[in-house]
Amino acid sequence: MWYYLLLFLFSFCLSQGLTWFLDGERLPVVAKTTAPLTVVQGANPRTLVEKGRRLYEQGRFSKAAEVLQQAAEGFNKEGDSLRQGMALSNLALAYKQLGDWSKAQEVISRSLELLQSGSTSNYGKLQGAAFDIQGQIYLAQGQPESAWESFEAATVAYRQAGEQEGLLKSKINQAQALQASGLYRRALETLREVNATLETQPDSQSKAIALRSLGNILRLVGDLNKSQEVLAESLSIAQGLQSPEDMSAALLGLGNTAKAQAKTQEALGNSSEAQAKTQQALDYYQQATDTQLISPTTKIQAQLNLLSLLVDRQKQLTTAAQPLVREIQVQIAKLPASRATADARINFARSLMKLGIEQGGTAQIVAEQLAIAVQQAEEIQDPRVESYALGQLGNLYEKTQQWQEAQKLTEEALIIAQAITAPDIAYSWQWQLGRLLKQQGKRQGAIASYTAAIATLESLRSDLVSVNSDVQFSFRESVEPVYRELVKLLLTSPEGTEPNQKDLETARQVIESLQQAELINFFRENCLNATPVLIDEVDQQAAVIYPIVFQDRLEVVLSLPGAPLRHYTTQLPQEEIENILEELRQQTIGSRATIIPTGTIRGPKRNQPLSPEGLKLAQEVYKWLIEPVEADITASEAKTLVFVLDGPLLNLPMAVLHDGEQFLVEKYAIALTPGLQLLNPKSLERGELSALKGGLSEARQAFSALPNVEKELAQLQLPGELLLNQDFTTPAVQNDIDANPFPIVHLATHGQFSSNLEDTFILTWDDRLNINQLSNLLQAREETGRGAIELLVLSACQTATGDKRAALGLAGVAVKAGARSTLATLWVVDDQATADLMIQFYQELADPTISKAEALRRAQIELLQNPEFQHPIYWAPFVLVGNWL
């Protein structure tokens, strides 16, 4: 659910303001004044209610509570239970603002007892309002489940009273409770229902808030463009209503969405777009903080998010940030104890810690904020916030290298998290404890803590991906390092000796688990069915190679059938490794190679080999990955090398590695897999193969023409359906897949693989099929019992430019599409070369004695031995993912 790892994103509940009723009618808003008010003993209770309202609006909550208590007593003497219940509801709100939770709960319970005794519509409306207030109290105390029950009771009361506006408000409050529980999809469904009802109604505060809540939820589930659109509409309505609170809250939401969009663009390598979105987020936050007449809570949210963005952007306490830090300190001190206040203190502390505790006085401020957050969490009896505050305090001590104090605080935080069954924060403290034990030289204890953290993450898989897009961004910071640090610990023996087989096997399993976690994060749904498989059970003539890149070195684990695991290391900084890999990719592609309208490549001239610089780099990477165990691989008589590639290696075809005499593909068949656990170890049934063949030879949707696609599809020598150009539409593909049991689907069309799910697609004549649409097309047949696609071929795709993890999209397509094997290209290839290779591949595949990987190898060798296509730009990018048999 990741509630505490996110920035302070709450929207105000709709019922945040007082529900002031007299005779069932809402009184007009009275202008605020700071003039002193005198409470007269024995005054008319109706007059006292009005005075209480004015005091509340001025923020004088203690005095308002005093007046409202007198009003409730006055109505009690008159025997007017309806007005007494109304006064007590408003009194509960005042106690909520004061953070006096026990009194707030006691008073709202008494109010509900009185209001439930009546039967008129006025009683029903007030019952609904009282249940809404009770829900707010629960929500502020960190009890979203209880809050949802109260909001649901409010819905029932409003429905029975025929109060449509109250019904909609309580539905929105339910959605906010679901959001606080991490149930984002259910919250989204609820808000869509509300907005469908409000769509035809005139602009109102309810409509502005409903749209704002919907926009915030859309951001949390990753639909950033729609989130921006909906929040902008909410802002427009709030501006028309001249509602400062709603304007500020909408601006806050727009800032959060712009920040998320900036992170997306940054991940894709679009630095200019990322900077523009970051500046947009800063502008929105600044506008939100500058808005007059807004609540302290909304203001502090905007200030905290503004500070967080400034810190992330500049990594130092700038002149612009210093006054903001001082103002936040002052504002937080004024807020009453609540979950929102404790969260604000924790998020403030986190931003300051990012600046670096070595800056003068920062560590002391952080410690004070976290200590107060712990105290407030205990006061409001919110163990979740208490756990998080204690753990963050432990993190502060970790940064100051006070290991034992840090360990004690972390263990306290972990005990609380486990007691309340909060695995989403428990794993953080297990991970933190592992780091602390490692620093103290307690290797086995550290391994145990890291292993527990990963086990907790495994149990959280469904939650990790049903939540929000912020998890996508925090994965690199808060999930992936847990796996990497454990692998590094397992591969580092304290005596400097070779790790034992148990540690090597555990490391191999953790590397595979990391691959699965990356895919789940990519899909945003837990659609993987992992089953442990040994290479001996899959292919006695295959070697599996697991490289993993750390900050200071490259580690490799080798698995051979019937042999112990091998392990070897190359000591190089990560930056240098990544630079060499990127330079080799550029040499292989042929710098700035592009495909022109004729379908040929503008890049290296035909009849040119790989440059001497490229060969040198290819030999360097060969030395890292193959040379240390070349003798073992040869002795094992392996014919296929299966790579489980780590992030920086994903975009580089292994076929281009060179031993000084030959490319790797000239020696071995090559395949990629996200892990043996995701492998369906079944070989392709040969006999007469048939295929659905589709593609585009004409230019379409701003993509260039591929003239040789017609030749490619016509000469595949596979019976089956052919869909070309205008016939290659999404419905046509669906119909043919449903109607015919083709084992092969061959698509010769443009496509793109990206580390961003939304930017991974396949082009048809009328559409861009994203990964989920493609999956639905291809898996429909398996669901009807007619078998899975054996081989999916995508012969004109490319990885997204500038995206270092773009090949993750290729792995995603391979897994999600449901095909046992996927053959695709890492960059756009000259379409004549593609046609020649594909024709040769299918000719080789007709031989039942060889594997799919061997058929691809032979086709690639045929191409590279053609002087016209000897450069690896033509033959190297073809990769087989999944089952290679």
Side-chain angles (χ1 to χ4, degrees):
M1 290 181 286
W2 302 82
Y3 178 84
Y4 296 103
L5 298 182
L6 307 179
L7 286 173
F8 209 57
L9 304 178
F10 292 126
S11 302
F12 261 53
C13 285
L14 272 173
S15 306
Q16 182 69 29
L18 278 168
T19 307
W20 300 95
F21 285 94
L22 281 178
D23 298 322
E25 298 296 328
R26 188 182 299 272
L27 291 176
V29 176
V30 177
K32 296 183 180 181
T33 176
T34 57
L37 287 161
T38 304
V39 180
V40 181
Q41 294 293 329
N44 187 315
R46 293 165 184 77
T47 303
L48 292 174
V49 168
E50 173 61 17
K51 288 183 176 180
R53 184 184 72 151
R54 292 167 61 192
L55 288 164
Y56 185 95
E57 289 176 345
Q58 294 167 18
R60 299 166 66 184
F61 303 121
S62 180
K63 193 65 176 175
E66 181 183 333
V67 171
L68 289 167
Q69 179 66 51
Q70 290 185 28
E73 291 170 358
F75 286 130
N76 182 40
K77 290 177 182 178
E78 293 179 2
D80 191 338
S81 59
L82 185 147
R83 289 182 175 83
Q84 183 185 359
M86 173 271 294
L88 289 171
S89 293
N90 294 330
L91 177 58
L93 269 177
Y95 283 136
K96 170 182 174 289
Q97 293 289 358
L98 291 167
D100 194 335
W101 305 111
S102 61
K103 285 186 179 179
Q105 289 285 14
E106 178 186 343
V107 169
I108 198 62
S109 296
R110 175 61 181 147
S111 171
L112 284 166
E113 288 175 10
L114 292 167
L115 296 173
Q116 286 175 323
S117 64
S119 58
T120 67
S121 62
N122 280 344
Y123 275 93
K125 292 176 184 178
L126 287 174
Q127 285 172 25
F131 276 122
D132 269 337
I133 292 169
Q134 186 183 55
Q136 292 174 48
I137 294 168
Y138 279 129
L139 203 55
Q141 288 183 279
Q143 301 176 47
E145 293 83 5
S146 297
W148 184 89
E149 291 174 1
S150 295
F151 293 141
E152 173 63 18
T155 301
V156 172
Y158 284 132
R159 185 179 292 117
Q160 290 175 347
E163 175 62 25
Q164 185 64 23
E165 183 180 357
L167 179 63
L168 292 172
K169 288 181 178 180
S170 62
K171 282 283 187 182
I172 297 170
N173 285 339
Q174 282 184 51
Q176 291 172 339
L178 290 169
Q179 177 182 334
S181 298
L183 302 173
Y184 297 97
R185 297 290 175 184
R186 283 181 60 191
L188 182 59
E189 291 170 8
T190 301
L191 287 168
R192 280 177 170 159
E193 290 175 10
V194 171
N195 279 282
T197 303
L198 288 169
E199 193 170 8
T200 58
Q201 296 184 14
D203 291 348
S204 64
Q205 186 183 34
S206 295
K207 192 170 186 177
I209 296 174
L211 286 167
R212 183 174 76 238
S213 298
L214 177 60
N216 287 333
I217 289 290
L218 285 167
R219 178 183 64 254
L220 296 177
V221 298
D223 194 343
L224 300 181
N225 291 335
K226 188 64 177 177
S227 169
Q228 182 181 28
E229 177 187 329
V230 171
L231 287 166
E233 186 179 353
S234 174
L235 176 60
S236 176
I237 293 173
Q239 289 170 333
L241 297 172
Q242 297 184 347
S243 172
E245 184 67 41
D246 294 311
M247 288 164 55
S248 182
L251 287 165
L252 177 60
L254 283 165
N256 293 335
T257 296
K259 181 180 180 183
Q261 290 172 321
K263 287 186 175 181
T264 298
Q265 294 302 323
E266 185 179 355
L268 296 174
N270 301 329
S271 58
S272 59
E273 290 87 345
Q275 289 175 4
K277 284 295 179 183
T278 299
Q279 185 58 53
Q280 191 177 68
L282 287 169
D283 292 342
Y284 281 134
Y285 290 146
Q286 191 62 61
Q287 290 177 60
T289 61
D290 291 344
T291 304
Q292 299 298 313
L293 304 177
I294 61 172
S295 73
T297 309
T298 302
K299 188 176 183 68
I300 205 74
Q301 288 175 12
Q303 289 175 325
L304 284 167
N305 285 8
L306 177 60
L307 176 64
S308 175
L309 198 55
L310 288 171
V311 168
D312 288 342
R313 193 184 195 191
Q314 296 160 339
K315 299 297 182 187
Q316 57 183 338
L317 195 57
T318 61
T319 304
Q322 286 175 341
L324 182 59
V325 168
R326 289 193 292 270
E327 187 176 354
I328 290 172
Q329 281 183 273
V330 172
Q331 294 300 322
I332 284 183
K334 296 177 181 178
L335 296 176
S338 68
R339 170 180 273 200
T341 303
D343 277 342
R345 291 185 183 278
I346 293 168
N347 286 316
F348 184 37
R350 281 170 57 83
S351 289
L352 293 177
M353 287 172 72
K354 285 183 182 179
L355 289 170
I357 56 172
E358 66 279 356
Q359 297 200 33
T362 302
Q364 185 61 36
I365 296 172
V366 170
E368 288 174 358
Q369 292 297 328
L370 292 173
I372 296 172
V374 172
Q375 181 184 358
Q376 290 185 336
E378 291 174 344
E379 182 181 335
I380 64 174
Q381 299 180 343
D382 190 334
R384 190 178 177 86
V385 174
E386 183 182 0
S387 172
Y388 199 70
L390 283 167
Q392 287 296 318
L393 199 53
N395 184 235
L396 174 63
Y397 278 99
E398 179 186 10
K399 290 182 182 300
T400 58
Q401 300 184 10
Q402 296 171 268
W403 310 123
Q404 292 184 353
E405 293 84 351
Q407 181 179 338
K408 181 181 177 182
L409 287 164
T410 304
E411 287 170 340
E412 263 189 83
L414 177 58
I415 289 169
I416 295 172
Q418 291 174 327
I420 61 172
T421 318
D424 54 313
I425 52 176
Y427 96 86
S428 295
W429 310 142
Q430 290 165 330
W431 173 27
Q432 186 163 292
L433 187 58
R435 298 196 304 269
L436 292 166
L437 291 170
K438 177 186 173 184
Q439 287 292 341
Q440 296 175 74
K442 301 174 182 178
R443 183 173 183 269
Q444 290 306 314
I447 290 174
S449 291
Y450 272 109
T451 303
I454 288 176
T456 303
L457 281 170
E458 301 287 314
S459 73
L460 265 175
R461 274 186 174 170
S462 294
D463 289 328
L464 280 175
V465 294
S466 64
V467 291
N468 62 76
S469 59
D470 281 20
V471 175
Q472 300 277 313
F473 308 128
S474 66
F475 181 86
R476 300 280 168 240
E477 302 169 1
S478 305
V479 177
E480 182 179 347
V482 186
Y483 292 86
R484 291 190 178 278
E485 288 172 20
L486 176 55
V487 172
K488 190 173 184 180
L489 186 59
L490 288 164
L491 296 180
T492 306
S493 174
E495 296 83 19
T497 58
E498 183 68 15
N500 59 46
Q501 283 297 303
K502 179 182 176 183
D503 285 348
L504 285 176
E505 176 56 31
T506 304
R508 187 191 70 80
Q509 292 172 4
V510 175
I511 292 172
E512 292 221 353
S513 294
L514 173 58
Q515 294 277 330
Q516 294 168 42
E518 284 195 294
L519 284 173
I520 290 169
N521 182 64
F522 173 73
F523 294 135
R524 292 204 291 271
E525 63 175 314
N526 189 7
C527 59
L528 304 184
N529 183 18
T531 305
V533 176
L534 297 175
I535 188 62
D536 309 60
E537 300 170 359
V538 178
D539 186 353
Q540 288 285 336
Q541 293 183 309
V544 186
I545 299 171
Y546 298 87
I548 185 166
V549 180
F550 298 113
Q551 284 189 334
D552 58 346
R553 62 186 185 269
L554 169 70
E555 299 268 15
V556 185
V557 175
L558 171 69
S559 176
L560 292 168
L565 293 171
R566 287 288 314 276
H567 159 250
Y568 43 105
T569 304
T570 299
Q571 298 287 345
L572 276 178
Q574 181 175 351
E575 184 178 0
E576 185 174 344
I577 290 171
E578 291 183 354
N579 288 341
I580 290 172
L581 293 173
E582 179 58 27
E583 180 59 28
L584 175 55
R585 176 180 161 85
Q586 292 303 319
Q587 289 286 338
T588 305
I589 294 175
S591 183
R592 293 185 293 278
T594 57
I595 196 162
I596 59 178
T598 60
T600 57
I601 283 185
R602 180 184 288 129
K605 293 180 180 179
R606 293 183 179 182
N607 301 303
Q608 277 189 347
L610 182 61
S611 69
E613 295 85 356
L615 275 175
K616 183 179 179 182
L617 293 166
Q619 291 168 21
E620 178 72 12
V621 181
Y622 185 94
K623 289 178 183 177
W624 301 346
L625 299 182
I626 307 298
E627 190 174 277
V629 287
E630 190 166 13
D632 296 290
I633 295 174
T634 302
S636 74
E637 299 183 345
K639 296 186 180 299
T640 305
L641 301 184
V642 181
F643 289 90
V644 182
L645 293 177
D646 190 28
L649 289 153
L650 280 169
N651 288 356
L652 181 71
M654 294 294 100
V656 79
L657 305 190
H658 201 276
D659 67 357
E661 296 182 3
Q662 293 177 297
F663 288 107
L664 188 62
V665 73
E666 297 180 86
K667 302 167 67 174
Y668 300 99
I670 297 170
L672 308 179
T673 178
L676 294 184
Q677 295 184 23
L678 299 176
L679 192 68
N680 187 334
K682 179 183 177 182
S683 59
L684 175 64
E685 294 180 7
R686 304 305 167 90
E688 185 179 24
L689 298 175
S690 61
L692 167 62
K693 297 164 285 185
L696 297 175
S697 63
E698 299 179 12
R700 195 69 180 161
Q701 299 182 43
F703 285 85
S704 61
L706 298 169
N708 282 291
V709 161
E710 289 191 49
K711 171 190 172 184
E712 175 185 336
L713 296 178
Q715 297 185 22
L716 288 184
Q717 298 181 358
L718 291 172
E721 293 294 319
L722 174 61
L723 302 173
L724 183 65
N725 294 327
Q726 292 92 333
D727 295 329
F728 182 51
T729 64
T730 301
V733 174
Q734 179 72 75
N735 291 337
D736 278 343
I737 287 176
D738 288 345
N740 302 288
F742 300 121
I744 298 172
V745 174
H746 184 110
L747 305 179
T749 179
H750 286 288
Q752 177 175 276
F753 305 122
S754 167
S755 61
N756 184 29
L757 183 67
E758 287 74 19
D759 292 329
T760 296
F761 63 87
I762 305 296
L763 198 70
T764 63
W765 182 263
D766 61 336
D767 201 0
R768 290 188 182 190
L769 291 177
N770 64 37
I771 196 168
N772 288 322
Q773 291 170 313
L774 182 64
S775 172
N776 292 336
L777 282 175
L778 298 181
Q779 291 192 11
R781 191 178 69 185
E782 185 176 15
E783 292 170 0
T784 58
R786 285 175 290 166
I789 302 293
E790 293 289 343
L791 175 63
L792 170 64
V793 179
L794 305 170
S795 66
C797 293
Q798 62 182 317
T799 50
T801 303
D803 186 349
K804 293 182 179 180
R805 308 179 82 96
L808 182 63
L810 170 55
V813 169
V815 171
K816 190 74 182 290
R820 291 195 170 96
S821 310
T822 299
L823 173 56
T825 51
L826 290 176
W827 56 77
V828 176
V829 183
D830 178 287
D831 71 330
Q832 181 183 334
T834 299
D836 291 350
L837 183 139
M838 286 299 167
I839 292 166
Q840 184 66 34
F841 170 70
Y842 284 111
Q843 288 176 357
E844 299 291 347
L845 198 62
D847 183 349
T849 66
I850 67 172
S851 67
K852 285 173 280 191
E854 178 61 21
L856 175 61
R857 185 184 84 87
R858 293 182 183 184
Q860 287 176 295
I861 290 174
E862 184 79 15
L863 202 62
L864 75 85
Q865 289 179 345
N866 181 342
E868 192 174 7
F869 298 125
Q870 62 181 299
H871 194 284
I873 189 173
Y874 298 106
W875 53 262
F878 296 90
V879 294
L880 184 68
V881 182
N883 188 317
W884 61 89
L885 299 175

